[in-house]
Amino acid sequence: MSIAYRYSKPSYFTGKIYNINRLSRTLYEIDINIIQDKLISLPPQFVLVCVPGYEAVPMSIAVQEENGGVIKLIVKPVGETTNKLVTLNNEYIGIIGPLGKPLLPSGDKILLLAGGSGVAPMLRFAQYYASLKKDITFVFGAWESDEIGDVPGIIRRYASEVITTCTNGCDIRGTVVDVLKYGYVREDEYDYVFVAGPEIMIRNIANYVKNQYKTIVIMERLVRCGLGLCGSCIISGTNKLLCYDGPGFVLSDIVEVLRQ
Amino acid sequence: MSIAYRYSKPSYFTGKIYNINRLSRTLYEIDINIIQDKLISLPPQFVLVCVPGYEAVPMSIAVQEENGGVIKLIVKPVGETTNKLVTLNNEYIGIIGPLGKPLLPSGDKILLLAGGSGVAPMLRFAQYYASLKKDITFVFGAWESDEIGDVPGIIRRYASEVITTCTNGCDIRGTVVDVLKYGYVREDEYDYVFVAGPEIMIRNIANYVKNQYKTIVIMERLVRCGLGLCGSCIISGTNKLLCYDGPGFVLSDIVEVLRQ
Amino acid sequence: MDITLETIISGKKLSNPLMNASGILGDAPDAIRLLNSMGFGCIVTKTLTLRPREGYRPPIIVPLDYGLINAVGLANPGIRIGAELVFAARNNGIPIALSIGGKTSKEFIELATIAMEYDPDFIELNLSCPHTPGYGIDAAKTVKAIKDIVCSVASIASIPIWAKLSFSRNLVSEAEAALSCGASTIVLINTIPAMVIDPYIKTPILSHGWGGLSGPAIHPIAVYSVYRVYEELNAEIIGVGGAETWRDVIEFILAGASAVQIGTGLIRKGHNIVREIIHGIKSYMREIGAKSIHELIGIAHKK
Amino acid sequence: MDITLETIISGKKLSNPLMNASGILGDAPDAIRLLNSMGFGCIVTKTLTLRPREGYRPPIIVPLDYGLINAVGLANPGIRIGAELVFAARNNGIPIALSIGGKTSKEFIELATIAMEYDPDFIELNLSCPHTPGYGIDAAKTVKAIKDIVCSVASIASIPIWAKLSFSRNLVSEAEAALSCGASTIVLINTIPAMVIDPYIKTPILSHGWGGLSGPAIHPIAVYSVYRVYEELNAEIIGVGGAETWRDVIEFILAGASAVQIGTGLIRKGHNIVREIIHGIKSYMREIGAKSIHELIGIAHKK
Ligand SMILES: Cc1cc2nc3c(=O)[nH]c(=O)nc-3n(C[C@H](O)[C@H](O)[C@H](O)COP(=O)(O)OP(=O)(O)OC[C@H]3O[C@@H](n4cnc5c(N)ncnc54)[C@H](O)[C@@H]3O)c2cc1C
Ligand SMILES: Cc1cc2nc3c(=O)[nH]c(=O)nc-3n(C[C@H](O)[C@H](O)[C@H](O)COP(=O)(O)OP(=O)(O)OC[C@H]3O[C@@H](n4cnc5c(N)ncnc54)[C@H](O)[C@@H]3O)c2cc1C
Ligand SMILES: Cc1cc2nc3c(=O)[nH]c(=O)nc-3n(C[C@H](O)[C@H](O)[C@H](O)COP(=O)(O)O)c2cc1C
Ligand SMILES: Cc1cc2nc3c(=O)[nH]c(=O)nc-3n(C[C@H](O)[C@H](O)[C@H](O)COP(=O)(O)O)c2cc1C
Ligand code: FES
Ligand code: FES
């Protein structure tokens, strides 16, 4: 096996952004050098990105290169901190991670379903399973086609099949759920299905999929400490902490929460 | 190679003495279990043995077993603490180590010269070189034959040839130096000569041996901190600390001190 | 007779001497249930203040090799959540200490009055948080201020009061003041002020600048603190600071602690830490032939 | 212009900002030569007392994963060795600070008077050793005591005086007192009281019981201390505590230190540590485009 099941313990790193590239109307790729160190993670682990003068925001590690010496983020600017982050080319940032737990079931056929910035953790799964020579289908959806942009180019580095969805001008007209619903891909042909995106999309898929034990969903909650101490990210109704037990969960374990 | 060149960093361990055996009139062997841990050392590293209610005294590790889970000391009681130590069967003691630096030149034929409690570090060299299948000659000397006792039995586990010296009743009548002086063994047939014992014996040998670059001597000084901080063990006339640079030294590096 | 891990704090029996440290997960009923599932003998809430507090903006924590530095800023939902927290603990059959933090003795009285309505088993007074202006060490800087707060609260309290202090040069006098006012138990120690600076960004990493150091780094300082206060005052003590193995816990107990709280260890070792430590303590007690925690408390002191 | 590591302490230029911490090897001429061979920009002697002291019986040090605890007990050959130590430093062309420790301001005056005969470059006042009854924090427990000692020594001193303090809740007032008396420089911090207990032997490991914690464990506390004193008093500061990499040293400098002392790092990283740190600082300065230490001092503070 080419990737050892190994990751760093959470630490603080200095990162230097050396490339920012606007992939689509809403998404940016950000490439970061971990200065004089390695940040070794496994999907779907994430980091807290400390933007000097702003906040620390949770971000999935979208791609890991040079054994953790370089990481790529895919960022959708939504507020103050993320809007600042995408302007910081050639600047230093703080990085706390890796956070969360690896969740890596073994299977030969993998289906990845991503909406919006949910593409980030799905990309990391794609990279991981591709390194194991697994067969990967990657569905990436958004509302408008200009939100898709150049993202599929990056996905194709890892996934054998890439399907885009949006209201108009994509491979499929509709949503990510529609891809399942109308049989463009068949859930039961895959060993595992992974889902990341807006919670509403996750809920829709949760309501739709048949095998909750073979579906992994990536959740988001308000992350403050990222280390399981402050309780801010608790998935209410469970005794699970997103930053400690997640951010990936087997659907069967949290389906009640998603159905509320 | 069967032994990796690896040793623990200095730490505090609890040890439990599970065997004390009087080997001769002056020497005891003490076997110690390192509780729930490993103390991995290489010759001629030593430890500070903390005898509860008494002092911490430096002792060579004479034998290392079970990858550092067990160590053997050879102790010559001389004062309050060492006299107490040899009575502590089945008791707990504190152990700080390993201290000092490994000094392990490679050679195929090794000559070990030990006087009195100097047998302890020499035994560890014997164990080490035996594990590498080297050819070892071990000379062990004392004043009286009752100081020799059962020690040769232990030495024989590692050394192919064992020679004892004393005033009467040993393989050779005389001192350890006499073994060289009268040609019982010939220094130049060996790749390395190691020496440990009373400083007067070391001085005599230092004055006698021809190749100071191939002679390793084990020194003793007053060790207080054992970590190179307090300066108590400095070899005056040099800028070397016994506990940091030693306790083994290549003779050429400190011959001036021994000649003073 | 079999080995028992029971211990007594303020006259109350706990099934084992481990509790979480205040500020670690104890501010929502879900979190209380999570803590209970870990096997603690008692639960301590997050320090609650009169009004809800947002706390500082992230980053609020820096993980280090030997601990962490936090400046959470006493973020909490306010004292009123106490009702639900105590209820959740009761439902799970586990004793609970409500931690409260005020800026003045008046605020502490108000908080304690409300807290008592919820009927927790103990009240812990946070006299030692190092990074939140007005609270903790700011409110309880001097022996006099400590006396003022603890005496005020004790005068109205019908349940045992714990005084949580941090390391300081006047520790013994501070603990003495708290005990003389009627605190049943001294909790030692809180975090110690600390800072990390990023050499490239050239500013402190935490949004607040400095925070409090916890974890293994402060453990020997905490053991010293427990040892000194036990030696000088023979007080009932709860040890806290860097406990993450059974050895650390036993050190506290031998130094004089009757119970031990765990904070940072939960993160560094994971949520199974309580079970692992209990297992370790049991084998240790078997090995040395001890039957109860009670016979170990304080025995590292010269007799 | 090339990068320079020169720094200025008490008006004197040092070739680099690194010095050994007092108590590490500086009590014999051989040891001074050894320290000089490591590449320091200045040497600090062991704290010298009026009469020679034996110190405590071993064990005097417990190594931990993240530092060490020592209770050496101010073992030293007495102030009279100062003559040889200064002579050895002069011979090697390296500046030297004589560290002195007394029990009273009278002893400190006597020590300083003798020290000045030997003409060292600086005198460091040990106001902070935590484990030797009568000395260090015992002699300088309060702001008043610090004032008394520093003002007395300063009144007779013709060379710059450094006041070495430890972490305390009153650190800023303590530093202010020392500066107001005429100390040129504040040295921060000394070790922090700490203890380790062996669970099987059931007693403290150190012969003295407790000792002082040093090394990485206290580094963030030391950075905090330097930052606070610089922020509040804009003092000239020497940082000490757990410095073992160039990052640690730069943190001190960004926090406000003009120089940095290294103690425990010498053991944990070995005698090559000074050269490694200097190498690291140089690459760092090249990377961020800095030319001198001077332009880095204190810049972590919000402007
Ligand atoms: C584990 C995890 C991984 C993530 N990975 C990525 C990623 O790879 N790429 C990416 O672009 N984003 C990711 N996010 C979301 C990202 O953290 C937020 O967009 C960011 O924190 C917003 O910060 P801001 O200060 O710019 O916006 P704010 O000013 O904080 O908020 C702007 C808007 O976004 C909403 N918002 C803020 N945080 C969240 C959140 N955690 N969940 C849902 N809505 C939120 C706010 O309610 C508000 O409407 C992730 C979140 C989590 C919890
Ligand atoms: C690196 C090192 C390794 C050692 N290895 C061993 C060993 O394997 N086996 C062993 O039996 N001994 C060994 N020794 C010597 C041992 O440490 C001393 O015998 C012991 O410290 C004496 O302690 P005590 O309290 O019993 O006697 P003390 O009461 O301290 O002294 C009794 C007598 O021994 C002398 N003495 C004490 N310490 C030393 C010393 N370090 N060097 C020379 N003379 C000393 C004293 O001057 C006095 O005459 C070693 C010493 C060193 C420095
Ligand atoms: C994230 C975090 C939050 C904390 N919040 C509080 C708090 O609200 N009240 C309090 O008294 N102590 C608080 N503390 C201090 C801990 O209760 C404990 O005293 C300290 O962390 C040392 O224990 P540890 O090393 O086991 O973590 C907090 C500590 C951490 C790490
Ligand atoms: C073995 C040892 C001896 C010390 N002796 C002294 C001393 O004599 N005078 C003093 O002011 N500080 C003394 N200290 C404290 C150091 O100078 C320094 O302040 C402290 O160790 C923190 O720095 P470090 O983490 O780099 O070791 C000693 C420290 C150690 C470890
Ligand atoms: S963010 Fe603090 S517990 Fe998860
Ligand atoms: S014994 Fe302290 S320096 Fe060697």
Side-chain angles (χ1 to χ4, degrees):
Chain A
M1 228 193 265
S2 56
I3 295 193
Y5 195 83
R6 185 169 79 84
Y7 53 99
S8 321
K9 53 176 200 257
S11 308
Y12 177 88
F13 300 89
T14 313
K16 185 168 189 181
I17 298 178
Y18 67 87
N19 173 50
I20 297 184
N21 179 24
R22 187 165 189 167
L23 294 170
S24 76
R25 181 163 59 76
T26 46
L27 294 176
Y28 292 72
E29 73 175 324
I30 301 188
D31 294 306
I32 302 169
N33 242 315
I34 306 297
I35 296 193
Q36 295 184 3
D37 218 324
K38 305 275 180 199
L39 193 173
I40 305 167
S41 70
L42 286 168
Q45 288 185 301
F46 65 100
V47 293
L48 277 168
V49 177
C50 311
V51 179
Y54 294 75
E55 298 211 343
V57 289
M59 286 289 154
S60 304
I61 297 166
V63 174
Q64 164 173 312
E65 268 158 15
E66 296 181 18
N67 297 319
V70 165
I71 63 173
K72 186 195 291 293
L73 308 178
I74 306 278
V75 177
K76 176 171 175 174
V78 296
E80 243 201 325
T81 304
T82 42
N83 272 301
K84 180 72 185 179
L85 178 58
V86 299
T87 67
L88 293 181
N89 204 4
N90 290 317
E91 300 285 340
Y92 297 104
I93 52 170
I95 297 176
I96 297 169
L99 305 171
K101 287 209 169 94
L103 184 56
L104 293 167
S106 48
D108 288 323
K109 287 200 63 167
I110 303 295
L111 177 59
L112 302 171
L113 307 176
S117 65
V119 69
M122 292 296 107
L123 207 51
R124 183 78 180 91
F125 278 114
Q127 183 193 25
Y128 177 82
Y129 285 108
S131 75
L132 302 179
K133 311 269 181 264
K134 304 301 180 187
D135 185 356
I136 301 160
T137 302
F138 198 123
V139 181
F140 174 49
W143 284 115
E144 314 278 348
S145 63
D146 62 357
E147 295 175 62
I148 301 288
D150 301 332
V151 177
I154 301 184
I155 300 174
R156 260 183 221 107
R157 292 178 202 160
Y158 309 108
S160 36
E161 198 184 347
V162 181
I163 302 168
T164 59
T165 77
C166 60
T167 46
N168 206 343
C170 290
D171 298 336
I172 291 168
R173 178 183 297 216
T175 65
V176 172
V177 195
D178 294 335
V179 174
L180 288 184
K181 208 179 265 172
Y182 301 114
Y184 293 101
V185 302
R186 289 185 44 191
E187 182 200 346
D188 54 13
E189 284 177 3
Y190 294 88
D191 296 320
Y192 273 93
V193 181
F194 294 78
V195 190
E199 189 142 325
I200 180 71
M201 169 190 139
I202 296 181
R203 281 171 196 267
N204 287 337
I205 290 177
N207 282 328
Y208 185 82
V209 294
K210 280 145 225 143
N211 193 335
Q212 294 173 0
Y213 297 90
K214 301 219 150 186
T215 304
I216 309 278
V217 300
I218 311 299
M219 303 286 289
E220 290 192 12
R221 282 293 177 276
L222 189 65
V223 169
R224 278 174 49 81
C225 74
L227 284 164
L229 294 165
C230 73
S232 145
C233 69
I234 203 158
I235 314 274
S236 342
T238 72
N239 57 10
K240 291 187 193 307
L241 298 167
L242 177 122
C243 73
Y244 178 86
D245 300 292
F249 296 91
V250 178
L251 179 54
S252 54
D253 285 346
I254 58 156
V255 67
E256 296 307 323
V257 176
L258 291 171
R259 287 214 173 121
Q260 272 154 17
Chain B
M1 234 193 265
S2 57
I3 294 192
Y5 197 81
R6 183 168 81 82
Y7 53 98
S8 319
K9 52 178 198 255
S11 306
Y12 177 87
F13 301 88
T14 312
K16 186 171 188 179
I17 298 180
Y18 67 89
N19 174 50
I20 298 186
N21 181 23
R22 189 166 186 167
L23 295 171
S24 76
R25 181 165 57 77
T26 47
L27 295 175
Y28 292 72
E29 74 176 322
I30 301 187
D31 293 307
I32 303 169
N33 242 316
I34 305 298
I35 295 193
Q36 296 184 6
D37 218 327
K38 305 274 180 200
L39 192 174
I40 305 167
S41 70
L42 286 168
Q45 288 185 302
F46 65 101
V47 293
L48 277 169
V49 177
C50 311
V51 179
Y54 293 75
E55 298 212 342
V57 289
M59 286 288 152
S60 303
I61 297 167
V63 175
Q64 164 173 313
E65 266 156 20
E66 296 180 19
N67 298 318
V70 166
I71 63 173
K72 186 195 292 293
L73 309 178
I74 306 276
V75 177
K76 176 171 178 175
V78 297
E80 244 202 327
T81 304
T82 42
N83 272 302
K84 180 73 184 175
L85 178 59
V86 298
T87 68
L88 293 179
N89 203 7
N90 290 314
E91 301 285 340
Y92 297 105
I93 52 169
I95 298 177
I96 296 169
L99 304 172
K101 286 212 172 90
L103 183 57
L104 293 167
S106 47
D108 288 321
K109 287 199 65 166
I110 303 295
L111 176 60
L112 301 171
L113 306 176
S117 66
V119 70
M122 290 297 108
L123 207 48
R124 184 77 181 94
F125 277 115
Q127 183 194 27
Y128 176 83
Y129 285 109
S131 75
L132 301 179
K133 314 265 180 267
K134 305 300 183 190
D135 186 355
I136 300 161
T137 301
F138 198 122
V139 181
F140 174 49
W143 284 115
E144 312 280 346
S145 65
D146 61 358
E147 295 175 62
I148 301 285
D150 302 332
V151 177
I154 301 185
I155 299 174
R156 263 184 218 106
R157 293 179 202 160
Y158 310 108
S160 36
E161 197 184 350
V162 182
I163 301 168
T164 58
T165 76
C166 59
T167 45
N168 206 343
C170 289
D171 298 337
I172 291 168
R173 177 184 298 219
T175 65
V176 172
V177 195
D178 294 335
V179 175
L180 288 183
K181 210 180 265 173
Y182 301 115
Y184 295 100
V185 303
R186 289 187 43 193
E187 181 201 346
D188 55 13
E189 283 178 6
Y190 294 87
D191 294 321
Y192 273 93
V193 180
F194 295 76
V195 191
E199 191 144 324
I200 180 71
M201 168 188 141
I202 296 180
R203 281 173 197 267
N204 286 338
I205 291 179
N207 282 330
Y208 185 82
V209 295
K210 282 145 222 139
N211 194 334
Q212 296 174 357
Y213 298 90
K214 301 218 153 186
T215 304
I216 309 278
V217 301
I218 312 300
M219 303 287 288
E220 290 192 14
R221 283 294 177 275
L222 190 65
V223 169
R224 279 175 49 81
C225 74
L227 284 163
L229 293 165
C230 72
S232 142
C233 70
I234 203 157
I235 313 272
S236 346
T238 72
N239 56 11
K240 292 189 195 304
L241 298 167
L242 176 123
C243 72
Y244 178 87
D245 300 292
F249 296 92
V250 178
L251 178 56
S252 53
D253 285 347
I254 56 157
V255 69
E256 296 307 324
V257 176
L258 290 172
R259 290 217 172 121
Q260 271 155 19
Chain C
M1 209 187 86
D2 221 27
I3 285 173
T4 166
L5 259 53
E6 279 174 3
T7 191
I8 291 173
I9 289 289
S10 321
K12 188 172 182 82
K13 199 181 278 178
L14 308 182
S15 64
N16 73 60
L18 304 181
M19 20 182 125
N20 67 301
S22 178
I24 316 301
L25 287 178
D27 74 349
D30 280 330
I32 299 292
R33 280 186 283 274
L34 171 54
L35 287 167
N36 179 59
S37 72
M38 295 178 199
F40 286 112
C42 177
I43 284 172
V44 186
T45 70
K46 170 79 193 170
T47 296
L48 303 174
T49 52
L50 277 175
R51 268 155 296 280
R53 290 178 48 89
E54 287 260 318
Y56 300 122
R57 309 199 312 173
I60 55 174
I61 295 203
V62 188
L64 306 173
D65 284 347
Y66 40 88
L68 45 90
I69 303 185
N70 90 82
V72 169
L74 283 187
N76 79 90
I79 183 69
R80 296 290 167 191
I81 196 80
E84 288 176 61
L85 304 182
V86 175
F87 184 79
R90 285 277 171 279
N91 258 347
N92 285 272
I94 187 168
I96 186 166
L98 243 164
S99 168
I100 58 176
K103 290 185 171 179
T104 58
S105 56
K106 212 167 132 282
E107 275 195 26
F108 269 101
I109 293 184
E110 214 176 319
L111 284 159
T113 310
I114 302 172
M116 280 189 299
E117 288 171 26
Y118 309 145
D119 196 26
D121 299 275
F122 316 99
I123 290 179
E124 182 176 289
L125 306 178
N126 179 343
L127 304 171
S128 45
C129 174
H131 53 63
T132 310
Y135 292 91
I137 47 170
D138 266 16
K141 218 189 294 259
T142 59
V143 170
K144 193 171 156 306
I146 290 171
K147 233 184 186 130
D148 187 24
I149 293 169
V150 184
C151 284
S152 307
V153 173
S155 71
I156 58 139
S158 52
I159 54 176
I161 303 294
W162 303 348
K164 181 167 178 185
L165 302 173
S166 196
F167 165 77
S168 105
R169 205 167 288 169
N170 302 317
L171 183 53
V172 174
S173 322
E174 290 173 12
E176 194 172 20
L179 291 169
S180 73
C181 286
S184 70
T185 311
I186 308 293
V187 184
L188 295 168
I189 59 174
N190 214 309
T191 57
I192 298 178
M195 177 183 276
V196 198
I197 295 172
D198 184 301
Y200 296 95
I201 300 175
K202 305 195 200 90
T203 58
I205 292 171
L206 290 170
S207 70
H208 179 58
W210 75 84
L213 179 63
S214 62
I218 67 167
H219 179 65
I221 304 173
V223 172
Y224 163 82
S225 303
V226 169
Y227 188 95
R228 280 306 294 276
V229 170
Y230 189 87
E231 174 103 0
E232 309 283 340
L233 307 173
N234 206 7
E236 180 174 277
I237 300 172
I238 300 173
V240 49
E244 55 180 45
T245 66
W246 70 262
R247 277 185 102 104
D248 303 328
V249 171
I250 291 295
E251 267 188 281
F252 272 132
I253 292 173
L254 299 179
S258 298
V260 173
Q261 298 179 348
I262 300 178
T264 306
L266 273 176
I267 290 328
R268 292 171 51 92
K269 298 283 169 172
H271 289 182
N272 213 26
I273 185 174
V274 181
R275 299 210 166 72
E276 282 165 9
I277 289 179
I278 285 180
H279 177 80
I281 293 179
K282 281 191 181 155
S283 347
Y284 163 76
M285 287 172 68
R286 225 169 281 125
E287 191 164 343
I288 65 161
K291 295 266 180 241
S292 73
I293 295 294
H294 188 73
E295 55 188 281
L296 296 174
I297 297 169
I299 63 170
H301 295 258
K302 290 171 207 92
K303 280 123 234 171
Chain D
M1 209 186 87
D2 221 24
I3 284 173
T4 166
L5 258 53
E6 279 174 5
T7 191
I8 290 174
I9 290 288
S10 320
K12 185 168 184 84
K13 200 181 278 182
L14 308 182
S15 64
N16 73 61
L18 304 182
M19 21 182 122
N20 68 301
S22 176
I24 316 301
L25 289 178
D27 72 351
D30 279 330
I32 299 291
R33 281 186 282 273
L34 171 55
L35 287 166
N36 179 58
S37 73
M38 296 180 199
F40 286 113
C42 178
I43 284 173
V44 186
T45 70
K46 170 79 192 169
T47 296
L48 304 174
T49 52
L50 276 176
R51 267 156 296 280
R53 287 179 51 87
E54 286 261 315
Y56 300 122
R57 307 201 308 172
I60 55 174
I61 294 202
V62 187
L64 306 172
D65 285 347
Y66 40 89
L68 46 90
I69 303 184
N70 90 81
V72 169
L74 285 186
N76 79 90
I79 184 69
R80 295 288 167 194
I81 195 81
E84 288 176 60
L85 304 182
V86 174
F87 184 79
R90 285 276 170 280
N91 256 350
N92 284 272
I94 187 169
I96 186 166
L98 242 166
S99 170
I100 58 175
K103 290 184 169 182
T104 58
S105 57
K106 211 168 132 281
E107 275 196 27
F108 269 102
I109 292 184
E110 214 176 319
L111 284 160
T113 309
I114 301 171
M116 279 189 300
E117 288 171 25
Y118 308 145
D119 195 26
D121 299 274
F122 317 98
I123 291 179
E124 183 176 287
L125 306 179
N126 180 345
L127 305 171
S128 45
C129 176
H131 53 64
T132 309
Y135 292 90
I137 47 171
D138 266 15
K141 217 190 295 259
T142 59
V143 170
K144 192 173 156 305
I146 290 172
K147 229 180 188 132
D148 187 24
I149 294 169
V150 183
C151 284
S152 307
V153 173
S155 72
I156 58 138
S158 52
I159 54 176
I161 303 295
W162 304 347
K164 181 167 178 186
L165 302 174
S166 195
F167 165 76
S168 106
R169 204 166 287 165
N170 302 318
L171 182 54
V172 173
S173 322
E174 290 172 13
E176 195 171 18
L179 291 168
S180 74
C181 286
S184 69
T185 310
I186 308 293
V187 183
L188 295 170
I189 58 176
N190 213 308
T191 57
I192 298 178
M195 177 184 278
V196 198
I197 295 172
D198 185 300
Y200 296 95
I201 301 175
K202 306 195 199 86
T203 59
I205 293 171
L206 290 170
S207 70
H208 179 59
W210 76 83
L213 179 64
S214 62
I218 68 166
H219 179 64
I221 304 173
V223 172
Y224 163 83
S225 302
V226 169
Y227 187 95
R228 279 306 294 279
V229 171
Y230 189 88
E231 174 101 2
E232 309 285 339
L233 306 174
N234 207 7
E236 179 173 278
I237 300 171
I238 299 173
V240 49
E244 53 180 47
T245 67
W246 69 261
R247 278 184 101 103
D248 303 328
V249 171
I250 290 296
E251 267 187 281
F252 272 132
I253 291 173
L254 299 179
S258 297
V260 174
Q261 297 178 348
I262 300 178
T264 306
L266 272 177
I267 289 327
R268 293 172 50 92
K269 298 284 169 174
H271 290 181
N272 213 23
I273 185 173
V274 181
R275 299 210 164 73
E276 282 164 12
I277 290 179
I278 285 178
H279 178 80
I281 294 178
K282 281 191 180 155
S283 345
Y284 162 77
M285 287 172 69
R286 225 170 280 123
E287 191 164 342
I288 64 162
K291 297 262 179 245
S292 74
I293 296 294
H294 188 75
E295 55 188 280
L296 296 174
I297 296 168
I299 63 171
H301 296 259
K302 291 170 206 92
K303 280 120 235 171

